[in-house]
């Protein structure tokens, strides 16, 4: 019973960490015509935003997993999320400057890490899922898809309110920072669940009321709220 409770709690946290990941792939799809018009770029230049994302993911995907296995997944996971925040900060800067170069740089940096985060989250889920690995991994994947659907629906609406990329970029940065907060919590309590002592320690941390309070405050104070300040 204890192991099952820990599995579901860890699964929830990993799933929340996944919310921004699929969204980051589809946020610019919903605004293709708007991006081309506002940034004064051609369709070919627009496609480079995708190429930058995926080419950079190919470059890092081949060795990030090796580093995580050698140095530990927790520090690697934190570095990846921090780099992701930098990438979407550059996207926000590009919205204020209407600079294609800044937007391209932001996509390049985000692409370096997004696809590398997913296998690490899957490894964590698998460690705590026991015999329910397929079920747990499918739940984590579904959360990522949910983040994508919400983004595709909200990003155009935010753009139309002001006719600017600024509100959508604030929203995306807030979503990415929320993922970072969830990753900090995940790293703090991830004991790999290899023995009963570790499981007990993990369970004690998850029982602390301040844990839930921290999640609530972090979500409320997320820069997603700045979306409304820029309207």
């Amino acid at each position: 019973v204890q192991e099952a409770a820990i599995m579901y709690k860890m699964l929830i946290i990993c799933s929340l960490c996944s919310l921004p990941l699929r969204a980051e792939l589809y946020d610019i799809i919903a605004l293709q015509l708007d991006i081309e018009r506002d940034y004064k770029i051609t369709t070919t230049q627009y496609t480079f935003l995708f190429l930058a994302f995926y080419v950079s993911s190919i470059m890092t995907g081949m060795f990030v997993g090796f580093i995580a296995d050698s140095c530990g997944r927790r520090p690697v996971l934190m570095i990846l999320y921090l780099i992701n925040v930098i990438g979407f900060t550059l996207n926000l800067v590009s919205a204020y400057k209407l600079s294609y170069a800044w937007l391209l740089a932001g996509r390049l940096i985000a692409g370096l890490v997004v696809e590398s985060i997913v296998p690490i989250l899957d490894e964590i889920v698998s460690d705590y899922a026991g015999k329910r690995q397929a079920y747990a991994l499918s739940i984590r994947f579904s959360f990522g898809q949910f983040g994508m659907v919400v983004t595709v629906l909200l990003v155009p609406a935010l753009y139309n309110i002001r006719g600017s990329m600024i509100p959508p970029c604030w929203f995306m940065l807030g979503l990415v920072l929320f993922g970072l907060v969830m990753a900090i919590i995940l790293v703090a309590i991830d004991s790999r669940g290899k023995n009963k002592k570790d499981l007990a320690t993990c369970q004690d941390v998850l029982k602390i009321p301040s844990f839930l309070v921290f999640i609530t405050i972090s979500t409320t104070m997320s820069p997603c709220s700045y979306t409304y300040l820029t309207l």
Side-chain angles (χ1 to χ4, degrees):
V1 176
Q2 182 185 20
E3 292 186 10
I6 293 174
M7 182 201 76
Y8 282 111
K9 291 175 182 178
M10 293 297 288
L11 176 58
I12 289 173
I13 299 171
C14 286
S15 298
L16 291 174
C17 288
S18 301
L19 279 177
L21 302 182
R22 295 295 101 185
E24 296 174 26
L25 298 175
Y26 290 90
D27 59 330
I28 66 170
I29 293 179
L31 296 174
Q32 177 179 352
L33 297 178
D34 301 308
I35 291 174
E36 291 179 2
R37 182 181 62 250
D38 292 355
Y39 288 84
K40 296 179 173 60
I41 61 175
T42 65
T43 302
T44 300
Q45 289 175 304
Y46 171 81
T47 60
F48 282 127
L49 297 175
F50 285 95
L51 287 176
F53 192 95
Y54 286 107
V55 170
S56 60
S57 69
I58 293 173
M59 294 167 54
T60 56
M62 292 184 287
F63 61 85
V64 168
F66 174 78
I67 297 175
D69 289 337
S70 303
C71 304
R73 68 193 181 196
R74 287 183 284 187
V76 172
L77 190 65
M78 286 308 308
I79 292 172
L80 294 177
Y81 270 97
L82 288 171
I83 294 174
N84 201 26
V85 170
I86 294 173
F88 276 83
T89 300
L90 294 183
N91 287 352
L92 179 61
V93 172
S94 80
Y96 281 99
K97 293 179 174 291
L98 289 179
S99 168
Y100 174 71
W102 283 97
L103 182 60
L104 187 63
R107 296 292 295 180
L108 181 67
I109 292 174
L112 287 172
V113 299
V114 170
E115 294 296 339
S116 299
I117 290 173
V118 173
I120 296 177
L121 291 179
D122 285 345
E123 182 193 7
I124 295 174
V125 170
S126 297
D127 272 355
Y128 290 90
K131 296 181 180 180
R132 301 180 180 180
Q133 289 190 18
Y135 166 74
L137 290 173
S138 64
I139 294 295
R140 190 213 58 75
F141 175 80
S142 295
F143 265 77
Q145 296 300 94
F146 176 76
M148 179 269 289
V149 171
V150 170
T151 298
V152 170
L153 291 175
L154 282 183
V155 164
L158 291 172
Y159 179 91
N160 291 331
I161 289 175
R162 210 181 138 177
S164 168
M165 287 291 294
I166 294 175
C169 285
W170 268 116
F171 169 77
M172 288 305 302
L173 179 60
L175 191 61
V176 169
L177 281 169
F178 173 76
L180 173 63
V181 171
M182 294 299 103
I184 292 173
I185 296 172
L186 179 63
V187 167
I189 63 177
D190 175 25
S191 60
R192 301 185 74 92
K194 294 300 184 182
N195 55 60
K196 293 183 178 179
K197 181 179 180 180
D198 285 343
L199 288 173
T201 301
C202 181
Q203 180 75 349
D204 290 341
V205 173
L206 290 170
K207 284 181 178 178
I208 299 176
S210 59
F211 170 75
L212 296 177
V213 174
F214 181 54
I215 291 180
T216 303
I217 293 176
S218 299
T219 307
T220 304
M221 298 302 293
S222 168
C224 285
S225 61
Y226 288 118
T227 299
Y228 302 100
L229 298 180
T230 60
L231 298 180

